[in-house]
Amino acid sequence: MSNKVINVRALQLGERIDLKGLEREDAFSTTPLAFRTSGEGIAVLFKSGAAVFIGMNPVDEEQLIRGLDDRIIAPLQERETETLRLVVKPEEDGLLTLAGDLQIKSADPDRLLLVAEAMAMTVAFAYDERRLAAAFERIDEVAQSLKQRLLPREPQGSLLEQIGEALLLQQRLAARVDLDDKPDVLWDHPELERFWARLVDEYDLPQRGRAISRKLEVIRGTADTLTDLFATRTSHRLEWYIIALIAVEIALSLYDRFV
């Protein structure tokens, strides 16, 4: 097993994957669902919409994905993908080399599960980061309009819909990725906690999670500001409508009296 190289590929296939009814007798994990495939490969499926393939060839990967078509909720047109090479070396564990390879002491199922967990979080964060980038482009346009003392020219409903979609990311992120929750495998194998901590640190998962949370706070604050501004503008319009109606009523009363 020394110096053995294993290729890993992670994909964000959709918002969620329905895993009910996919239980297998040969599965060595149920949360996430992990099982061996032909050719000594391993497939790991997550409810969060991610799939991680370990030691599988691309043909088998695509065949398995096609078999999941009916179970992928809101499939992505543009999938997030992350690849990794595992190098089995007994002397090191959880160390990224300069070439980007990850060294592990052994290719046992528990370590491979933790690698899959980290990779699944990576593609999930990449998916959220891409969507947040699009939302921030809209916020920049809003900020430029407000700087000129103008409300955005775009229809109110369309603008708030786009920002509201970004706000939903916060709920989806909380449901999909929680770094405070340890993977289930660590409850049975606490000796691997150091390995997991090193994986989380090597892939900057806490920093990326905090960055996404800060961006979500900015978007939420922008949405609140726009809601207040639109409400104020609506109330001002109503006040002018009432003044106009009162003026018309006075004019009609004067017309009746003198004409």
Side-chain angles (χ1 to χ4, degrees), residues 201-230:
D201 183 63
E202 290 285 4
Y203 282 98
D204 295 327
L205 297 181
Q207 293 85 343
R208 295 175 70 181
R210 287 193 294 268
I212 290 175
S213 297
R214 287 195 297 268
K215 291 180 179 179
L216 288 171
E217 290 176 2
V218 172
I219 294 174
R220 184 170 58 249
T222 303
D224 292 341
T225 300
L226 285 178
T227 301
D228 293 341
L229 290 175
F230 283 131

Side-chain angles (χ1 to χ4, degrees), residues 5-16:
V5 176
I6 304 173
N7 293 316
V8 182
R9 189 163 78 116
L11 301 97
Q12 185 71 27
L13 302 177
E15 289 289 344
R16 289 186 299 110

Side-chain angles (χ1 to χ4, degrees), residues 11-14 17 44-52 119-121 123-124:
L11 301 97
Q12 185 71 27
L13 302 177
I17 298 178
V44 188
L45 306 179
F46 295 80
K47 293 180 181 179
S48 62
V52 180
M119 295 289 285
M121 288 186 180
V123 292

